[in-house]
Amino acid sequence: MLLRIYEENPNPKAIQQVVEVLRKGGLIIYPTDTVYGLGCDINNHRAIEQVCAIRGIKPDKANLSFICDDLTGIAQYTKPFDTATFRLLKKALPGPFTFIFNASGQVPKLLSSKKKTVGIRVPDNNIAREIVRELGNPIVSASIHDDDEIVEYSTDPELIHEKYRDDVDLVIDGGYGGNIASTIVDTTSGDFEIVREGKGDLSVFL
């Protein structure tokens, strides 16, 4: 199913419809402030396994992000971090960054058996954040890649729906997506190490 939701003022009924799909263990494709993402409820192990199967990766080796709606949603899944990190997060989020933290015991064991870290995003996109807020917990997410050798990420929601409609329960049409992924920042050593340069410019906040 393809569901149109407007980012400027997401329809609460449409958001509720998406949340019901997630609560039943369904998979969604949804817009962020960077590229379209494939996501599911963090508490549904079977759904996480399906996300990994679509991406062709094993859950314990997967670099999946947790999509949170604000800073308070982050702390539950990370080990405590220092004041400098908190200040940076407050400036940079919501925004096009994925921050890597040392994982807390709240991270599903399915995802943390081989890894002790977790990547967390608070995207600057009302649709994504409203879904998480209404769901009451993060979405586990992976980027939607394109088969095209020149364009790395799929941007047209109608084409995304055409390709994935047999794999997922719902594709949200939130308009054309971007094709530059988030900037990945590793905070685990106490410094801010850029793992991947993406849409976000961290130097603006340092």
Side-chain angles (χ1 to χ4, degrees):
M1 178 169 63
L2 186 64
L3 179 65
R4 182 79 169 106
I5 301 179
Y6 293 93
E7 205 249 325
E8 297 76 27
N9 190 19
N11 184 317
K13 284 187 179 175
I15 295 292
Q16 189 59 46
Q17 194 176 340
V18 177
V19 168
E20 282 170 16
V21 167
L22 290 167
R23 284 187 178 140
K24 289 175 182 171
L27 271 54
I28 66 166
I29 292 176
Y30 66 99
T32 71
D33 54 352
T34 55
V35 301
Y36 266 82
L38 165 67
C40 70
D41 188 334
I42 193 174
N43 295 320
N44 193 303
H45 284 201
R46 189 167 172 275
I48 293 171
E49 286 171 344
Q50 287 178 306
V51 167
C52 292
I54 291 170
R55 285 292 309 274
I57 45 183
K58 292 183 178 178
D60 60 356
K61 293 180 180 171
N63 291 317
L64 302 175
S65 300
F66 292 6
I67 307 297
C68 299
D69 65 324
D70 59 24
L71 285 182
T72 55
I74 291 177
Q76 187 179 352
Y77 299 96
T78 69
K79 288 190 173 168
F81 45 80
D82 61 24
T83 308
T85 303
F86 178 75
R87 283 190 185 131
L88 177 68
L89 295 177
K90 209 167 177 187
K91 289 180 198 167
L93 298 176
F97 298 94
T98 301
F99 286 96
I100 299 173
F101 298 94
N102 292 305
S104 76
Q106 294 296 313
V107 173
K109 292 204 166 24
L110 180 70
L111 294 171
S112 63
S113 57
K114 294 271 174 72
K115 295 202 311 296
K116 300 285 188 261
T117 60
V118 59
I120 291 184
R121 289 210 63 206
V122 181
D124 188 12
N125 180 284
N126 290 328
I127 297 169
R129 292 208 316 280
E130 281 301 319
I131 291 167
V132 172
R133 194 171 291 130
E134 187 64 32
L135 182 62
N137 54 255
I139 298 171
V140 173
S141 186
S143 301
I144 293 293
H145 286 264
D146 200 290
D147 296 330
D148 191 303
E149 289 180 7
I150 298 168
V151 181
E152 190 175 355
Y153 298 99
S154 304
T155 59
D156 185 333
E158 291 190 9
L159 294 179
I160 291 171
H161 177 252
E162 210 171 280
K163 180 178 177 181
Y164 288 99
R165 62 184 168 195
D166 295 331
D167 296 319
V168 304
D169 300 272
L170 180 69
V171 175
I172 296 170
D173 177 354
Y176 273 86
N179 59 7
I180 302 172
S182 63
T183 295
I184 299 177
V185 184
D186 190 340
T187 72
T188 57
S189 67
D191 292 321
F192 307 120
E193 182 189 346
I194 305 291
V195 178
R196 178 184 72 193
E197 288 280 4
K199 187 177 176 183
D201 181 4
L202 196 69
S203 65
V204 174
F205 306 106
L206 293 173

